[in-house]
Amino acid sequence: MAKLTSRGQDYSKWYNELVVKADLAENSQVRGCMVIKPYGYAIWEKMRDELDRMFKETGHQNAYFPLFVPKSLFEAEEQNAEGFAKECAVVTHYRLKTDPNNPQKLIVDPDAKLEEELIVRPTSEAIIWSTYKNWIQSYRDLPILINQWANVVRWEMRTRLFLRTTEFLWQEGHTAHATREEALEETEKMLEVYATFAENHMAMPVIRGIKTPTERFAGAEETYCIEALMQDGKALQAGTSHFLGQNFSKAFDVKFTSREGKIEYPWATSWGVSTRLMGALIMAHSDDFGLVLPPTLAPIQVVIVPIFKGEEQLENIRTVATEIQQKLKAKNISVKFDDDDQNKPGWKFAEYELKGVPVRIAMGARDLENRTVEVARRDTLTKEVQPLENLDIYIEELLKTIQKDIYNRALEFKNNNITKVETFEEFQKVLEEKGGFISAHWDGSAEEEEEIKNLTKATIRCIPLDAEEEAGVSLISGKPSARRVIFAKAY
Amino acid sequence: MAKLTSRGQDYSKWYNELVVKADLAENSQVRGCMVIKPYGYAIWEKMRDELDRMFKETGHQNAYFPLFVPKSLFEAEEQNAEGFAKECAVVTHYRLKTDPNNPQKLIVDPDAKLEEELIVRPTSEAIIWSTYKNWIQSYRDLPILINQWANVVRWEMRTRLFLRTTEFLWQEGHTAHATREEALEETEKMLEVYATFAENHMAMPVIRGIKTPTERFAGAEETYCIEALMQDGKALQAGTSHFLGQNFSKAFDVKFTSREGKIEYPWATSWGVSTRLMGALIMAHSDDFGLVLPPTLAPIQVVIVPIFKGEEQLENIRTVATEIQQKLKAKNISVKFDDDDQNKPGWKFAEYELKGVPVRIAMGARDLENRTVEVARRDTLTKEVQPLENLDIYIEELLKTIQKDIYNRALEFKNNNITKVETFEEFQKVLEEKGGFISAHWDGSAEEEEEIKNLTKATIRCIPLDAEEEAGVSLISGKPSARRVIFAKAY
């Protein structure tokens, strides 16, 4: 197995190689679209199941809305339409026919042109709010708290596996509320669900914040986000929660009779995370040997590798391994016994390191005699000998420790990579030499934001929710600023 | 709440009304596409979760392949392409732009025409087998046992909620094997998974069989199916499992080196069930009062309706109801306490009958005194008084009984509606007067099959797997036949 390019050598190449070699995903024959392979999909399923549980726990229900958005609905909310029109897949025909010039080939049947073109959903506000029109008449119909797991398509020019693909999988929550306050509360609640998920399950600390107007979702009044830091010092937007105000209810003429008998427009939110989180997970923790997965998201949490000569040794090891497996499974720990005789233990060690299996148990003839095993941690690459007795309890605790340690390392890295700067010179120096999040004053104008972006490629990732009031002067214009914002180069 | 049209009056109207009134689904603003509403989606989720469990138990893994199929891949397997070309959505452009004549409107940007059109997948054999080409080199890469949960699009001219929609949700398994025998075994195994699911979870008995060549999946060498009987005497194909032979491996030039060192083409299967199963579930069991759901698939298995005057009575009932809830939840039974004070108990009774909640518990002041409750079964519409003591154990058993009884009623109905006929006259008479499955001899020709279809609209649903050898003469041609096949009018 050829080694991965190291992160130090070429971070971007390391990422691309890792995604493919760890069997997570690959490019398909369709421009910009990926194939999510079984191992990658198993990780995504674990993310999805946990998020789904959290959405249901906070009162949301799943539903499913059409893949297609008729053009007239698509264009109803102007900002949203403008934001997505430039990168959408358009269905214009509903039939192919045999090419009269070549009976082996098919051509688009010109007689099957649609009266109205259909847009493959890049996001579903339009189709969903045109549906809500029939569902909402009275305050008693509110709130509507719906989520959908779906595929969406955005015609991106430059794509990268998981991080930016033409088609991706995501969930999109779409809620409707009787009051502005309630919708704002929902927007913030779902941001916190995302942040909790990122931190507790992905072991990935995030900054919670608000986007500047320039970086807002097309059609939103306010976009909340969580921003994570990758090991190369670049930021990654890991989830967004939008307060949509009454933009969509007005665009689709959705009204309700309030408790007081007045006709009002409901208030909306939408929020989403996507398979992009896979990219974040990979880049936040992995190393030059391969994936490092937090135990909560690892499809295989423990692998048992027998070290044997001949059938008899293998059978003796198998007896003990089966016992271990049963005990671990009883604790809801997923475990694999790899008795494949075509690959050597060394090959298997490297393979499971590449795949990010959190704990490896190796067992040889001497271990059997001593009633011990060798336990290796993927995250620290350390090994130790442990007695067979109470091994299940030891492993259960070890997985918790690993989860915590992975998070703490990422947290330390993040904390060490938030740099306060006062001048634009300092800003440029930190950005070039160190990267990471830069905390600086900003005058609040789109002009300064734009200028900094043009000069450095760094953008304002967010105005942190916990930003303290602090008088300062902005980096370029020198105008007064009341709080710091977070800049970074980003994925 | 207006009553449903009765089944006797107009079965088709009854179905359409029931789907909408029970909040399962509705037509969207996109031609032929449906919105699956939260209650309907919750039932689909239960089906999906159980099927997914069964797939994984039989060694399959999930993955995800692109939504789009480039035209050149689509046309590679000729039969398959021909089968789906007439009803597929075609993406021809990747951008909209502002209409120069009307800045409020968007038009397709003629400068953004795709070099090669993309077909929205009607099924994924083409895209998946073009991917497998890179995954399969040696017999050691086989078998590949992959399933995908996805949306697909077929441009149907006449659509009906769940039964036939332009976009639908489904799963599609796509497997590759080293030998013909192994692929055939997989085809049959997955048919049995579907049959078991239909019978044990949907409480819907099915006939397992093989399709005639005319009714085969486009590109298959053999199509296995399960056929269910609806209450109006029409059949519904509930799942198919295809033996694809080497058609796709040859079309996409997928080869492997066998254990003996020979270059060979792998053998393929594909198998799928879709949201159509929702239609089958509804039509198999429901009645003029609404849905009848088997407990295994009911999002709410038990509803507790308090019958009270004033807050104090409600609070007393709530105390007891909470206890019942906790005990039932501990047994993994989903239960809802409906304390809404805007609707009367009678309204709620009708509502939960419409929604198919299997068990209703009603509690009033007198029940509290007597330490009893009234327990009503949805399937039989019967009621009885039960002591509070050990109610959870009673309900747990009752749910099992209901599951069994629903299945047995459907089985009895099916068995009473398989009619053996010997002549075409008899065939026509039974079809007109009774409907159902008709078991008759057929000469094995596409001509006779076609003639019967043209004369009666009945098709051969399948050649049952358990059909016994029995000499006979076919209905129209009078030619000899070795076994009976199953005819019916079908959805």
Side-chain angles (χ1 to χ4, degrees):
Chain A
M1 202 155 31
K3 272 194 180 168
L4 288 172
T5 297
S6 76
R7 287 165 296 170
Q9 205 180 326
D10 186 338
Y11 193 81
S12 171
K13 200 171 168 204
W14 164 82
Y15 173 80
N16 293 338
E17 282 181 12
L18 178 52
V19 170
V20 172
K21 288 196 176 173
D23 274 339
L24 301 175
E26 65 183 36
N27 285 306
S28 75
Q29 294 194 51
V30 191
R31 206 200 130 282
C33 292
M34 64 182 160
V35 172
I36 307 179
K37 299 181 79 173
Y39 193 64
Y41 199 84
I43 299 173
W44 172 244
E45 270 182 336
K46 289 199 154 244
M47 291 194 183
R48 186 198 63 187
D49 289 350
E50 177 58 23
L51 283 165
D52 198 68
R53 201 193 58 71
M54 294 174 90
F55 298 156
K56 285 176 177 157
E57 204 176 72
T58 45
H60 302 85
Q61 294 181 296
N62 289 329
Y64 188 77
F65 296 85
L67 170 67
F68 298 130
V69 190
K71 187 163 69 66
S72 57
L73 292 184
F74 184 76
E75 64 198 3
E77 207 292 321
E78 243 180 283
Q79 280 179 283
N80 189 250
E82 203 179 299
F84 290 101
K86 288 180 208 102
E87 50 177 39
C88 61
V90 189
V91 176
T92 56
H93 291 75
Y94 59 85
R95 193 164 61 218
L96 298 175
K97 64 169 194 177
T98 305
D99 184 346
N101 302 317
N102 182 350
Q104 310 282 33
K105 297 279 170 191
L106 294 167
I107 57 168
V108 173
D109 185 344
D111 293 338
K113 192 170 187 305
L114 289 172
E115 269 179 50
E116 180 179 11
E117 294 88 350
L118 298 174
I119 316 306
V120 180
R121 64 181 163 217
T123 180
S124 301
E125 280 77 7
I127 191 76
I128 288 181
W129 275 88
S130 70
T131 307
Y132 283 178
K133 185 172 169 56
N134 299 320
W135 294 6
I136 300 173
Q137 271 90 41
S138 146
Y139 70 94
R140 287 187 53 91
D141 301 321
L142 298 171
I144 291 181
L145 303 172
I146 282 184
N147 174 63
Q148 139 169 306
W149 290 94
N151 54 344
V152 286
V153 170
R154 296 175 186 176
W155 207 268
E156 302 281 359
M157 279 304 141
R158 261 173 254 153
T159 59
R160 283 188 75 189
L161 290 169
F162 289 125
L163 296 171
R164 199 173 292 278
T165 49
T166 302
E167 182 192 15
F168 55 91
L169 303 184
W170 80 343
Q171 60 67 219
E172 45 182 328
H174 294 274
T175 69
H177 306 265
T179 67
R180 181 187 167 88
E181 293 65 42
E182 198 185 296
L184 264 170
E185 198 182 296
E186 167 82 4
T187 314
E188 288 171 11
K189 182 198 283 175
M190 297 322 289
L191 188 82
E192 196 49 39
V193 164
Y194 290 152
T196 305
F197 172 77
E199 297 184 340
N200 293 357
H201 288 267
M202 297 176 65
M204 184 176 79
V206 292
I207 296 182
R208 299 149 171 82
I210 296 178
K211 288 284 178 197
T212 62
T214 316
E215 301 274 336
R216 251 177 225 151
F217 175 74
E221 292 205 354
E222 200 77 271
T223 287
Y224 288 69
C225 63
I226 52 172
E227 297 281 329
L229 190 61
M230 303 297 99
Q231 294 176 74
D232 62 346
K234 281 168 81 176
L236 186 144
Q237 175 181 301
T240 48
S241 182
H242 315 293
F243 171 64
L244 304 173
Q246 296 173 314
N247 291 344
F248 286 89
S249 58
K250 285 181 177 166
F252 291 95
D253 197 35
V254 184
K255 291 178 207 162
F256 73 99
T257 309
S258 74
R259 201 178 283 267
E260 294 75 29
K262 287 201 299 187
I263 303 296
E264 294 181 10
Y265 291 102
W267 301 81
T269 85
S270 70
W271 28 275
V273 297
S274 73
T275 35
R276 190 161 211 242
L277 285 182
M278 290 288 294
L281 181 73
I282 296 161
M283 286 201 293
H285 309 305
S286 303
D287 64 23
D288 295 349
F289 298 93
L291 279 181
V292 173
L293 292 176
T296 44
L297 296 178
I300 304 166
Q301 293 172 309
V302 177
V303 65
I304 306 174
V305 178
I307 297 164
F308 62 97
K309 280 191 196 126
E311 248 331 280
E312 197 190 321
Q313 267 191 20
L314 175 59
E315 284 316 309
N316 291 338
I317 295 172
R318 191 195 304 279
T319 307
V320 180
T322 304
E323 248 176 71
I324 301 175
Q325 269 182 295
Q326 282 164 351
K327 282 187 186 163
L328 291 177
K329 278 183 188 166
K331 289 185 179 295
N332 253 325
I333 296 168
S334 64
V335 50
K336 175 181 172 173
F337 176 54
D338 184 352
D339 58 355
D340 190 325
D341 60 359
Q342 300 288 310
N343 296 307
K344 298 227 164 105
W347 187 94
K348 291 179 186 175
F349 287 11
E351 174 70 10
Y352 294 112
E353 278 170 8
L354 180 63
K355 294 271 177 83
V357 175
V359 171
R360 180 185 76 221
I361 298 174
M363 284 180 72
R366 189 163 310 163
D367 290 307
L368 272 191
E369 274 171 37
N370 301 340
R371 305 275 305 157
T372 59
V373 292
E374 183 192 84
V375 177
R377 276 176 71 158
R378 172 61 186 92
D379 62 327
T380 53
L381 295 168
T382 51
K383 298 189 265 196
E384 54 183 352
V385 172
Q386 283 293 328
L388 265 180
E389 201 175 348
N390 291 331
L391 185 65
D392 55 331
I393 297 169
Y394 176 79
I395 298 285
E396 188 179 34
E397 282 309 307
L398 181 61
L399 289 170
K400 285 183 198 158
T401 305
I402 292 173
Q403 182 84 21
K404 225 179 294 166
D405 288 357
I406 294 180
Y407 175 76
N408 284 333
R409 271 192 298 278
L411 183 64
E412 200 189 334
F413 177 77
K414 188 202 83 168
N415 290 341
N416 289 340
N417 283 282
I418 306 183
T419 315
K420 282 192 185 181
V421 305
E422 308 304 327
T423 66
F424 186 60
E425 261 192 343
E426 241 186 299
F427 182 93
Q428 284 175 299
K429 193 164 180 289
V430 171
L431 196 64
E432 194 168 313
E433 291 174 6
K434 186 178 176 189
F437 290 131
I438 305 184
S439 174
H441 283 284
W442 164 59
D443 71 5
S445 75
E447 291 71 28
E448 193 178 60
E449 191 179 4
E450 178 78 11
E451 198 173 343
I452 293 174
K453 186 177 171 182
N454 289 340
L455 290 169
T456 66
K457 290 187 182 157
T459 50
I460 300 179
R461 302 316 304 154
C462 67
I463 306 157
L465 291 186
D466 61 2
E468 284 166 20
E469 297 269 328
E470 180 199 303
V473 290
S474 78
L475 288 180
I476 303 232
S477 71
K479 286 186 187 162
S481 150
R483 66 187 58 74
R484 289 172 185 272
V485 298
I486 297 286
F487 288 86
K489 289 190 191 169
Y491 278 94
Chain B
M1 203 154 29
K3 272 195 181 166
L4 289 172
T5 297
S6 76
R7 288 166 295 170
Q9 206 181 322
D10 186 339
Y11 193 81
S12 170
K13 201 170 167 203
W14 164 82
Y15 173 80
N16 293 338
E17 282 181 14
L18 177 52
V19 170
V20 172
K21 288 195 176 173
D23 274 339
L24 301 175
E26 64 182 39
N27 285 305
S28 76
Q29 293 192 52
V30 191
R31 203 200 132 284
C33 293
M34 63 181 161
V35 171
I36 307 180
K37 299 182 78 173
Y39 193 64
Y41 199 84
I43 299 173
W44 172 243
E45 270 181 336
K46 290 198 153 243
M47 290 194 185
R48 187 198 61 190
D49 290 350
E50 176 59 23
L51 283 165
D52 198 68
R53 200 192 58 69
M54 293 174 90
F55 298 156
K56 284 174 178 157
E57 207 177 68
T58 45
H60 301 85
Q61 293 181 297
N62 288 329
Y64 189 76
F65 296 84
L67 171 67
F68 298 129
V69 189
K71 187 163 70 66
S72 56
L73 291 184
F74 184 76
E75 64 199 2
E77 207 293 320
E78 241 179 284
Q79 281 179 284
N80 190 249
E82 202 180 296
F84 290 102
K86 288 180 207 105
E87 50 178 38
C88 63
V90 188
V91 176
T92 55
H93 292 75
Y94 60 85
R95 192 163 64 218
L96 297 175
K97 65 170 195 176
T98 305
D99 184 346
N101 301 317
N102 182 350
Q104 309 283 32
K105 297 280 170 188
L106 295 167
I107 56 167
V108 173
D109 185 344
D111 294 338
K113 193 171 186 307
L114 290 172
E115 269 179 52
E116 180 179 12
E117 294 89 349
L118 298 174
I119 315 307
V120 180
R121 62 179 164 219
T123 180
S124 300
E125 280 77 7
I127 192 75
I128 289 181
W129 275 88
S130 70
T131 307
Y132 283 178
K133 185 173 169 56
N134 299 320
W135 295 6
I136 300 172
Q137 271 90 40
S138 146
Y139 71 94
R140 285 185 55 89
D141 301 322
L142 297 172
I144 293 182
L145 302 174
I146 282 184
N147 174 62
Q148 140 169 305
W149 290 94
N151 53 344
V152 285
V153 170
R154 297 177 186 176
W155 207 269
E156 303 279 0
M157 279 303 142
R158 260 173 254 154
T159 59
R160 284 187 76 189
L161 291 168
F162 290 124
L163 296 172
R164 197 174 294 277
T165 50
T166 301
E167 182 193 14
F168 55 91
L169 304 183
W170 80 344
Q171 60 67 219
E172 44 182 329
H174 294 273
T175 70
H177 305 266
T179 65
R180 181 188 167 85
E181 293 64 41
E182 198 185 298
L184 263 170
E185 197 183 298
E186 168 81 4
T187 314
E188 288 170 11
K189 183 199 281 176
M190 298 321 289
L191 188 82
E192 195 50 38
V193 165
Y194 289 153
T196 305
F197 172 77
E199 297 184 339
N200 293 357
H201 288 267
M202 298 175 66
M204 184 176 78
V206 291
I207 295 183
R208 299 148 170 82
I210 295 178
K211 288 285 180 195
T212 62
T214 317
E215 300 275 336
R216 249 176 225 154
F217 176 74
E221 291 205 355
E222 200 76 271
T223 288
Y224 288 69
C225 63
I226 51 172
E227 297 282 328
L229 190 61
M230 304 294 102
Q231 294 176 73
D232 62 346
K234 281 168 81 176
L236 187 144
Q237 174 181 301
T240 48
S241 183
H242 314 293
F243 171 65
L244 304 173
Q246 295 172 315
N247 291 344
F248 286 90
S249 58
K250 286 182 177 167
F252 291 96
D253 196 34
V254 184
K255 290 178 209 162
F256 73 100
T257 310
S258 73
R259 200 179 284 268
E260 293 76 29
K262 288 201 297 186
I263 304 296
E264 295 180 9
Y265 290 104
W267 300 81
T269 85
S270 70
W271 29 273
V273 297
S274 73
T275 35
R276 191 164 211 241
L277 285 183
M278 290 287 295
L281 181 72
I282 297 161
M283 287 201 295
H285 309 305
S286 303
D287 64 23
D288 295 350
F289 298 94
L291 278 180
V292 173
L293 292 175
T296 44
L297 296 177
I300 305 166
Q301 293 172 308
V302 177
V303 63
I304 305 174
V305 178
I307 298 163
F308 61 99
K309 280 190 195 128
E311 247 334 279
E312 198 190 319
Q313 268 192 16
L314 176 59
E315 284 316 307
N316 291 338
I317 295 173
R318 190 193 305 281
T319 309
V320 180
T322 305
E323 248 176 71
I324 300 175
Q325 269 183 294
Q326 282 164 350
K327 283 188 186 162
L328 291 177
K329 278 183 189 164
K331 289 184 178 295
N332 254 326
I333 295 168
S334 64
V335 50
K336 175 179 171 177
F337 177 54
D338 184 351
D339 60 354
D340 189 326
D341 61 359
Q342 301 288 308
N343 295 309
K344 299 228 163 102
W347 186 94
K348 291 180 186 174
F349 287 10
E351 174 70 11
Y352 294 111
E353 279 169 9
L354 180 62
K355 294 269 177 82
V357 175
V359 171
R360 180 184 77 221
I361 298 175
M363 284 179 73
R366 189 163 312 163
D367 290 306
L368 271 191
E369 274 172 39
N370 300 341
R371 305 275 305 157
T372 58
V373 292
E374 183 192 84
V375 177
R377 277 176 71 158
R378 172 61 186 92
D379 62 327
T380 53
L381 296 167
T382 52
K383 297 189 267 198
E384 54 185 350
V385 173
Q386 283 293 328
L388 265 181
E389 201 176 348
N390 291 331
L391 186 65
D392 53 332
I393 296 169
Y394 176 78
I395 298 285
E396 189 178 33
E397 282 308 307
L398 181 61
L399 288 170
K400 285 183 200 159
T401 306
I402 292 174
Q403 183 84 22
K404 224 178 297 168
D405 288 358
I406 294 181
Y407 175 75
N408 284 332
R409 270 192 298 277
L411 182 63
E412 200 188 333
F413 177 76
K414 188 201 84 170
N415 289 340
N416 289 339
N417 285 281
I418 306 183
T419 314
K420 281 192 184 180
V421 305
E422 308 304 328
T423 67
F424 186 58
E425 260 192 344
E426 240 187 301
F427 182 93
Q428 284 175 299
K429 193 164 180 287
V430 171
L431 197 66
E432 195 169 311
E433 289 173 8
K434 187 179 176 189
F437 290 131
I438 304 184
S439 175
H441 283 283
W442 164 59
D443 70 5
S445 75
E447 291 71 28
E448 192 178 62
E449 191 180 4
E450 178 77 11
E451 198 174 343
I452 293 174
K453 186 177 174 183
N454 289 340
L455 291 169
T456 66
K457 288 186 182 157
T459 51
I460 299 180
R461 301 316 304 153
C462 68
I463 305 158
L465 291 186
D466 60 2
E468 284 165 21
E469 297 270 328
E470 181 199 303
V473 289
S474 79
L475 290 180
I476 302 231
S477 72
K479 286 187 189 162
S481 149
R483 65 187 58 74
R484 290 171 185 273
V485 299
I486 297 287
F487 289 87
K489 288 190 190 168
Y491 279 94

